[in-house]
Amino acid sequence: MPKVSCSVESCYYNNSSVCQAERLQVGGEGASITEATYCESYTSKQNARNAIEQVGYPGQTETICCDVNTCMYNSGWKCSLNEIEISSLCNVSNYAHTDCLSFERNS
């Protein structure tokens, strides 16, 4: 199972900087820079009641789905890395404020 490190403290799935969402969705089709990617699975702690049934155990994200067709790690719409990092440069109020720091553009 892939490991997802997460520094987005306002996310419900963040448990001691490790994502506990069973299925992670990374978006940003056509991205050319990291800041154009995002974690579509982000759920604010305020909206947590809608996410309860999707919680796994810390560090046990089963699948990382990826819509970023320009990323070198996208293999059949899934991330081929065993470990990725999700973060943000600002206060997060929705998923668009998050970034996949593991993104590397295809050459």
Side-chain angles (χ1 to χ4, degrees):
M1 290 183 193
K3 179 180 179 187
V4 180
S5 299
C6 180
S7 62
V8 182
E9 293 181 10
S10 63
C11 183
Y12 173 73
Y13 296 117
N14 184 331
N15 184 349
S16 301
S17 297
V18 176
C19 181
Q20 63 180 20
E22 285 186 49
R23 180 179 172 274
L24 192 77
Q25 181 71 46
V26 176
E29 186 173 351
S32 59
I33 58 173
T34 298
E35 290 80 8
T37 65
Y38 45 85
C39 177
E40 291 181 1
S41 299
Y42 170 82
T43 300
S44 71
K45 289 180 180 176
Q46 293 176 334
N47 295 331
R49 67 187 122 127
N50 297 330
I52 291 174
E53 70 275 356
Q54 298 175 22
V55 175
Y57 295 98
Q60 295 192 3
T61 298
E62 291 182 20
T63 304
I64 301 172
C65 297
C66 182
D67 293 336
V68 187
N69 57 342
T70 52
C71 183
M72 68 185 306
Y73 303 116
N74 183 325
S75 177
W77 304 107
K78 294 196 179 192
C79 182
S80 63
L81 292 174
N82 288 325
E83 186 169 338
I84 70 165
E85 184 176 356
I86 302 294
S87 189
S88 179
L89 297 175
C90 62
N91 290 332
V92 176
S93 59
N94 65 57
Y95 72 89
H97 298 140
T98 61
D99 304 312
C100 178
L101 298 185
S102 303
F103 169 79
E104 286 194 39
R105 185 168 169 77
N106 283 328
S107 51

